[in-house]
Amino acid sequence: MSAPRKNDHKAFGRLSLPERNFVADALRTETVGGVLLLVSAICALIWANVPALSHSYETFSDFHIGPGAIGLNLTTEHWAADGFLALFFFVAGIELKRELVAGDLRDPKAAALPVVAALCGMAVPALVYVVVNTIGGGSLDGWAVPTATDIAFALAVLAVIGTSLPSALRAFLLTLAVVDDLFAILIIAVFFTSDIDFAALGGAAVGLAVFWLLLRKRVHGWYIYVPLALVIWALMYNSGVHATIAGVAMGLMLRCTREESEEHSPGEHIEHLVRPVSAGLAVPLFALLSAGVAVSGGALGDVFTKPETLGVVFGLVVGKALGIFGGTWLTARFTKASLSDELAWPDVFAVASLAGIGFTVSLLIGELAFAGDELLTDEIKASVLMGSLIAAVLSSILLKIRNAKYRALWEEEERDEDADGIPDVYEKDKPEYHLRMAAIYEKKAAEHRRLAEVAGGAGDGGERPA
């Protein structure tokens, strides 16, 4: 094998220290949110399937609340999907903005791999769904359901199975999900918008312009932005465009680059404040109100017999894995990118399989795609749950097979023998690091010699030759 060219780019190579720290903080919150998401989904399934409790679940989901005069007398289920989930997409907008100006998507060469992988990871599942439903004579309306990836749920799976996935693979999964969210947002805006109220949409556009202008003028104060954001969201909802688009738009407007006097950019600061609310409240509440579907033997059997539901399962399990893996391999094959020496292609396939967990956004798109058909909507939800479960089990097995290798890589990334708070792998090229380590080793050697002398003295009764 020839040596890599000097200009070759290593895919899934070690992150820079600032990027590593940012990814670690972001994934820590996402992991906690993912565990809450998993718990909420389980609670929803129990609540909706226990005969003594199922009626109260339906009553809670269908309970109306809100001012009807302005078109916001919605069910709690609608509030979760259109209101609380806007926080999730607001955070996604900030993440996307940061990736574009300071992250992996800033450099077109580095961005090519996750962007191509994400696009293939959405196109192939959609194609799988279309093929299955064309052959089976089903509805093509749900083609977009298996295109989404749920990063929080995927990280919850990693937390549950206890795998030490290297930070580069975790960062790839995070960037993949950010790009995935962007295209999911575009799909919702373009394909699931009808009966537009242009007056309300114009009002939302004016509100967004005011929001942007206030940010440019460096106006501060949550008491200004929160009411304005609520007005923009309400106008967007009444316009017929899905209300979560308002959250994305406002997230993209925040500045995510730091100035000299700033420790954190405004976008990073607001994301730090809002992400726990999104991951800890908004998304779990959406899961609680959306995942409560009947899972009787007959219902589960229907998942594997109807073309619509079978297309979703195959799209998530087969389409996602083949799409992301194929997109990554093709990028490496036809560009100067090459796989990191520490990883192998089965690692990429395992992560691609993990991306088949399409919980939150897939449930949302399923509700939009089959609005008006309550039975099929519930069956699509069941297929999303089943497909995500199969993808989680499959990826867990693949990741566990390589876990010893991942643990060694993780320990190498975390080792900090000189205890200066910076992992040693980021300092090995610095002369001062080697001086510090030499001093540490000399101190340890001197301590060992002293202990050996004490032990020797104790062994001969403490006598010393004259």
Side-chain angles (χ1 to χ4, degrees):
M1 181 183 294
S2 61
R5 292 184 295 268
K6 190 174 182 179
N7 293 328
D8 281 357
H9 170 69
K10 288 290 185 182
F12 309 109
R14 186 174 295 119
L15 304 176
S16 66
L17 184 58
E19 188 68 11
R20 171 191 175 277
N21 292 338
F22 174 83
V23 168
D25 290 341
L27 293 180
R28 194 175 298 115
T29 305
E30 291 282 7
T31 301
V32 174
V35 172
L36 291 175
L37 181 64
L38 182 60
V39 171
S40 296
I42 294 172
C43 289
L45 289 170
I46 294 173
W47 193 358
N49 286 276
V50 174
L53 301 175
S54 58
H55 179 69
S56 64
Y57 181 81
E58 292 176 5
T59 302
F60 178 62
S61 298
D62 295 336
F63 181 75
H64 281 72
I65 188 173
I70 55 175
L72 294 177
N73 184 24
L74 311 176
T75 64
T76 51
E77 185 176 2
H78 272 110
W79 275 111
D82 294 285
F84 285 100
L85 213 57
L87 286 175
F88 168 80
F89 281 102
F90 175 68
V91 173
I94 298 175
E95 289 177 338
L96 177 61
K97 179 66 173 290
R98 186 198 166 275
E99 288 290 333
L100 289 170
V101 300
D104 287 344
L105 301 183
R106 174 188 55 185
D107 179 6
K109 292 181 180 179
L113 191 144
V115 169
V116 172
L119 284 172
C120 293
M122 298 185 82
V124 176
L127 181 61
V128 168
Y129 179 93
V130 169
V131 169
V132 170
N133 281 270
T134 300
I135 295 173
S139 170
L140 299 182
D141 292 344
W143 64 270
V145 176
T147 60
T149 293
D150 194 316
I151 179 65
F153 215 125
L155 291 171
V157 170
L158 292 179
V160 170
I161 66 175
T163 185
S164 304
L165 203 63
S167 59
L169 284 176
R170 289 176 181 259
F172 172 72
L173 190 60
L174 181 61
T175 305
L176 192 75
V178 170
V179 179
D180 196 290
D181 285 342
L182 169 64
F183 288 104
I185 291 159
L186 293 175
I187 287 172
I188 291 171
V190 174
F191 295 100
F192 298 103
T193 296
S194 60
D195 301 325
I196 296 178
D197 184 331
F198 288 99
L201 185 60
V206 171
L208 287 171
V210 172
F211 188 88
W212 177 81
L213 186 61
L214 291 172
L215 290 173
R216 287 292 300 270
K217 296 294 184 181
R218 308 295 175 92
V219 176
H220 299 284
W222 65 267
Y223 46 84
I224 297 174
Y225 289 102
V226 172
L228 178 59
L230 292 174
V231 170
I232 294 170
W233 173 85
L235 288 168
M236 190 69 75
Y237 176 83
N238 281 288
S239 73
V241 177
H242 201 271
T244 53
I245 304 300
V248 178
M250 287 184 279
L252 286 170
M253 289 181 181
L254 293 174
R255 177 168 59 83
C256 292
T257 52
R258 302 178 191 179
E259 296 181 347
E260 291 184 4
S261 59
E262 294 177 333
E263 184 177 354
H264 302 288
S265 68
E268 290 172 326
H269 176 66
I270 294 173
E271 181 186 7
H272 180 72
L273 295 175
V274 177
R275 185 189 286 273
V277 181
S278 169
L281 175 64
V283 177
L285 184 59
F286 170 77
L288 182 67
L289 289 163
S290 297
V293 295
V295 290
S296 63
L300 292 178
D302 288 342
V303 167
F304 296 100
T305 56
K306 288 191 173 182
E308 293 89 352
T309 51
L310 194 61
V312 170
V313 173
F314 275 120
L316 289 172
V317 178
V318 179
K320 272 289 182 183
L322 293 181
I324 293 173
F325 179 82
T328 305
W329 185 85
L330 287 172
T331 304
R333 174 68 177 81
F334 293 105
T335 69
K336 293 182 178 180
S338 59
L339 195 65
S340 170
D341 296 334
E342 299 170 332
L343 298 172
W345 283 110
D347 301 317
V348 181
F349 186 80
V351 172
S353 300
L354 187 65
I357 301 173
F359 191 78
T360 304
V361 180
S362 288
L363 289 176
L364 175 62
I365 295 177
E367 291 181 355
L368 298 173
F370 297 101
D373 190 336
E374 188 173 343
L375 177 60
L376 187 53
T377 298
D378 283 345
E379 290 173 340
I380 289 294
K381 287 182 179 181
S383 67
V384 170
L385 295 175
M386 181 59 66
S388 297
L389 177 62
I390 295 172
V393 172
L394 175 62
S395 60
S396 296
I397 294 171
L398 295 174
L399 291 169
K400 271 298 185 182
I401 292 173
R402 294 273 292 170
N403 197 43
K405 176 67 174 178
Y406 297 152
R407 188 171 297 280
L409 291 173
W410 179 262
E411 290 173 353
E412 179 67 17
E413 289 180 0
E414 295 296 312
R415 185 174 293 113
D416 183 17
E417 292 192 13
D418 59 348
D420 65 344
I422 301 175
D424 295 341
V425 293
Y426 293 98
E427 297 187 293
K428 288 184 176 179
D429 294 332
K430 299 179 180 179
E432 58 269 24
Y433 166 78
H434 294 286
L435 291 175
R436 285 200 306 271
M437 293 305 299
I440 290 172
Y441 291 144
E442 177 57 33
K443 185 177 180 180
K444 288 182 178 179
E447 181 66 16
H448 288 156
R449 288 194 298 270
R450 187 185 70 79
L451 291 174
E453 290 174 358
V454 171
D460 61 11
E463 297 180 2
R464 289 284 190 275

